[in-house]
């Protein structure tokens, strides 16, 4: 019974096989005759809409990245990013997910570096990096350089060399971890290109991400350099420019998003879809998920301005800001637009409003799924996203009330990227399937009784 169902499904999906079977049945029965065993062989070798012919028929090899494979994929309406078969697809997917996880760890390490005030401990920068101090004399030389910085003079005056070593190692680890990521990305990329696993479209996308990653080091130094300059007033604490910090963090989020989305596209060329009703439900959900994702992204960027202005150490009360809902000085800077990026009161108020809006929006997204006919996996994913949004708001409030301890501040930054990850996964899952898959789907999902 099962074999007959497999044969029926294959006959409906590929007219080429029908013609092949007809010609085989007209001839003498040989090893090319279509039998239940050959049906199982066809079923086992099928992959995302591409159907192999029965044994004995010529099929272009997947081992070589040929235009034949690409054209065959295009005809099926599915654009594969890796054309060298399932094994190559798995290898490239693991590499990309590993790269995305590495960028995630970079964001977390960067948060720790910022919260421990270690980012300004290294007063110079070289693109290829350099060895850390290895002798007491070298450590003393680095310490003397740091003593010339505004941060030492106004914040850390009297710091011991042992305390300096801690912040130096934090910044050094952050820089070298980024350089190690570049090597870890470039070597497999070169290998996959040489083997012919990667299509032109994927190669161009990954090249752009690699270039952006290389530029991230320059953006990081550009940010640090702003903190090594003398502040305009003697009463202002030295810190990096909030604009440059936001650019640095936003760039990291863009790189991570690009890697994660590309990895999903490699390992999951088609979204989960078992009926046209579920596809239609996913399309409705997508119209809501895109604007919600935009709100999540804007909220994350606003968090960078909170960090850049050290706004988390002001108004450590909730839900009110001190004794009021809205401080009186939110528009004290001129021109007015500066207040949204440089005014501590306004920056924190913005982040509070955006965080609340994010939570309400995701709650609405979750509530809307109750009335939609969608895939169970998508429903579960929306629920997980709502839970993560609630946790992220809880972490934010706890961080504020606790006067931004390193542990909670780091967890809050990691939570922002985790929430963004879930939104990326949701948007990738509700995208429209290829035409080849749509033609094979029933109107509704059959329920097994």
């Amino acid at each position: 019974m099962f074999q007959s169902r497999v044969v029926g499904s294959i006959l409906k999906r590929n007219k080429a096989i029908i013609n092949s079977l007809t010609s085989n049945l007209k001839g003498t029965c040989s090893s090319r005759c279509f039998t239940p065993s050959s049906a199982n062989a066809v079923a086992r070798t099928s992959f995302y809409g591409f159907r192999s012919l029965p044994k004995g028929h010529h099929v272009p090899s997947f081992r070589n990245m040929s235009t034949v494979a690409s054209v065959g994929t295009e005809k099926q309406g599915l654009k594969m990013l890796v054309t060298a078969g399932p094994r190559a697809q798995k290898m490239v997917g693991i590499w990309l997910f590993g790269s995305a996880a590495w960028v995630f760890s970079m964001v977390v390490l960067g948060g720790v570096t910022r919260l421990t005030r270690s980012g300004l401990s290294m007063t110079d920068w070289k693109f290829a990096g350099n060895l850390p101090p290895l002798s007491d004399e070298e450590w003393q030389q680095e310490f003397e350089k740091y003593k010339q910085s505004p941060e030492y003079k106004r914040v850390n005056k009297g710091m011991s060399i042992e305390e300096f070593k801690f912040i130096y190692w934090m910044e050094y680890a952050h820089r070298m971890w980024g350089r190690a990521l570049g090597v870890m990305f470039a070597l497999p990329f070169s290998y996959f290109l040489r083997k012919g696993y990667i299509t032109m479209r994927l190669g161009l996308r990954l090249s752009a991400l690699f270039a952006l990653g290389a530029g991230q080091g320059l953006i990081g130094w550009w940010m640090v350099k702003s903190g090594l300059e003398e502040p305009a007033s003697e009463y202002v604490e030295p810190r990096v420019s909030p604009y440059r910090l936001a650019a640095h963090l936003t760039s990291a989020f863009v790189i991570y998003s690009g890697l994660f989305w590309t990895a999903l596209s490699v390992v999951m060329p088609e979204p989960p879809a078992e009926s046209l009703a579920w596809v239609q439900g996913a399309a409705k959900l997508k119209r809501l998920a895109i604007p919600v994702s935009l709100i999540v992204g804007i909220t994350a960027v606003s968090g960078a301005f909170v960090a850049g202005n050290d706004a988390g150490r002001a108004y450590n009360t909730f839900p009110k800001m001190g004794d009021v809902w809205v401080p009186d000085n939110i528009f004290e800077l001129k021109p007015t637009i500066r207040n949204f990026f440089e005014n501590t009161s306004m920056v924190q108020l913005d982040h509070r409003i955006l965080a609340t809006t994010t939570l309400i929006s995701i709650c609405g997204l979750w509530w809307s799924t109750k009335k939609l006919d969608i895939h169970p996996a998508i429903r579960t994913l929306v629920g997980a996203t709502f839970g993560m949004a609630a946790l992220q708001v809880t972490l934010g409030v706890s961080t504020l009330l606790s006067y931004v301890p390193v542990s909670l501040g780091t967890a809050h930054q990691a939570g922002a990227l985790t929430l963004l990850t879930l939104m990326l996964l949701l948007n990738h899952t509700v995208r429209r399937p290829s035409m080849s898959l749509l033609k094979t789907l029933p109107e509704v999902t059959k329920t097994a009784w």
Side-chain angles (χ1 to χ4, degrees):
M1 183 66 179
F2 171 76
Q3 292 171 341
S4 63
R5 288 182 180 177
V6 172
V7 174
S9 174
I10 295 171
L11 292 177
K12 291 178 181 178
R13 294 184 183 183
N14 200 321
K15 292 182 179 180
I17 292 181
I18 296 176
N19 296 332
S20 174
L21 296 178
T22 303
S23 61
N24 282 332
L25 289 174
K26 288 180 179 180
T28 57
C29 184
S30 64
S31 60
R32 293 186 182 183
C33 285
F34 190 78
T35 63
S37 60
S38 64
N40 286 333
V42 173
R44 285 194 299 270
T45 54
S46 63
F47 176 72
Y48 288 115
F50 182 89
R51 301 291 181 255
S52 300
L53 295 175
K55 184 178 180 181
H57 290 263
H58 172 70
V59 180
S61 174
F62 276 112
R63 288 293 178 185
N64 299 319
M65 189 186 74
S66 64
T67 56
V68 176
S70 299
V71 172
T73 300
E74 292 292 339
K75 286 183 179 180
Q76 294 293 336
L78 179 62
K79 297 179 180 179
M80 300 291 290
L81 295 176
V82 177
T83 58
R87 181 174 177 273
Q89 183 187 32
K90 181 179 180 180
M91 291 173 62
V92 174
I94 291 174
W95 164 59
L96 289 175
F97 277 123
S99 299
W102 199 307
V103 175
F104 192 108
S105 69
M106 278 289 298
V107 173
V108 174
L109 182 57
V112 175
T113 303
R114 174 180 57 81
L115 291 167
T116 55
R117 295 185 179 276
S118 305
L120 301 178
S121 58
M122 296 179 68
T123 57
D124 54 12
W125 183 81
K126 295 180 180 179
F127 186 81
N130 53 358
L131 292 174
L134 301 176
S135 64
D136 291 341
E137 182 180 355
E138 291 178 343
W139 274 114
Q140 194 61 45
Q141 290 175 355
E142 290 296 324
F143 194 25
E144 290 300 324
K145 292 179 183 178
Y146 178 66
K147 285 182 178 180
Q148 305 305 313
S149 68
E151 184 180 65
Y152 177 83
K153 296 175 182 178
R154 301 192 186 190
V155 180
N156 291 330
K157 195 172 184 65
M159 168 184 278
S160 67
I161 192 167
E162 293 302 321
E163 293 172 324
F164 169 72
K165 286 181 179 181
F166 172 79
I167 62 174
Y168 186 94
W169 279 120
M170 288 297 303
E171 174 65 9
Y172 185 82
H174 183 55
R175 295 188 184 189
M176 297 309 296
W177 195 241
R179 292 184 173 94
L181 170 61
V183 175
M184 194 279 290
F185 185 88
L187 292 181
F189 188 26
S190 301
Y191 171 79
F192 293 137
L193 284 174
R194 184 174 62 83
K195 297 290 288 185
Y197 290 173
I198 295 176
T199 62
M200 178 69 73
R201 188 161 61 100
L202 178 59
L204 290 175
R205 186 189 302 182
L206 294 179
S207 296
L209 288 172
F210 181 72
L212 188 57
Q216 180 71 338
L218 295 174
I219 296 174
W221 171 243
W222 179 58
M223 175 191 70
V224 169
K225 192 175 180 181
S226 67
L228 298 175
E229 299 171 354
E230 288 288 344
S233 170
E234 61 178 331
Y235 302 105
V236 177
E237 186 176 292
R239 63 166 69 106
V240 299
S241 164
Y243 297 99
R244 299 186 188 187
L245 190 150
H248 189 52
L249 185 60
T250 302
S251 178
F253 275 34
V254 169
I255 295 170
Y256 172 80
S257 300
L259 287 171
F260 186 71
W261 184 275
T262 303
L264 288 174
S265 299
V266 167
V267 303
M268 193 171 68
E270 293 278 26
E274 297 179 20
S275 71
L276 293 177
W278 282 358
V279 171
Q280 293 167 0
K284 294 177 182 178
L285 185 61
K286 181 180 178 179
R287 289 195 289 268
L288 299 174
I290 291 176
V292 172
S293 300
L294 184 61
I295 295 173
V296 170
I298 293 173
T299 305
V301 174
S302 76
F305 283 97
V306 171
N309 289 279
D310 217 5
R313 302 182 192 278
Y315 302 105
N316 299 100
T317 56
F318 190 85
K320 289 186 176 182
M321 298 180 69
D323 296 326
V324 297
W325 291 99
V326 179
D328 297 330
N329 62 341
I330 59 174
F331 290 113
E332 68 177 3
L333 299 180
K334 301 297 179 184
T336 305
I337 190 66
R338 288 180 55 201
N339 291 283
F340 293 93
F341 308 104
E342 301 176 35
N343 185 327
T344 299
S345 301
M346 176 62 89
V347 167
Q348 191 185 121
L349 178 62
D350 282 347
H351 194 59
R352 290 184 182 215
I353 294 173
L354 285 168
T356 304
T357 304
T358 297
L359 181 59
I360 294 173
S361 300
I362 295 179
C363 178
L365 187 68
W366 170 76
W367 185 262
S368 69
T369 60
K370 293 180 175 294
K371 300 179 181 180
L372 294 176
D373 187 12
I374 55 177
H375 196 288
I378 298 177
R379 194 181 302 278
T380 301
L381 179 57
V382 174
T385 304
F386 178 39
M388 185 62 226
L391 176 60
Q392 176 67 349
V393 171
T394 303
L395 282 171
V397 173
S398 300
T399 302
L400 181 68
L401 297 179
S402 304
Y403 202 70
V404 198
V406 175
S407 56
L408 284 177
T410 304
H412 188 50
Q413 183 158 312
L417 197 50
T418 302
L419 182 58
L420 181 62
T421 301
L422 291 173
M423 291 304 303
L424 287 170
L425 180 57
L426 177 61
N427 279 279
H428 194 275
T429 306
V430 297
R431 73 195 192 284
R432 183 178 175 81
S434 65
M435 287 303 299
S436 59
L437 178 58
L438 285 173
K439 291 177 181 179
T440 65
L441 296 176
E443 288 292 333
V444 296
T445 304
K446 296 180 180 179
T447 305
W449 294 92

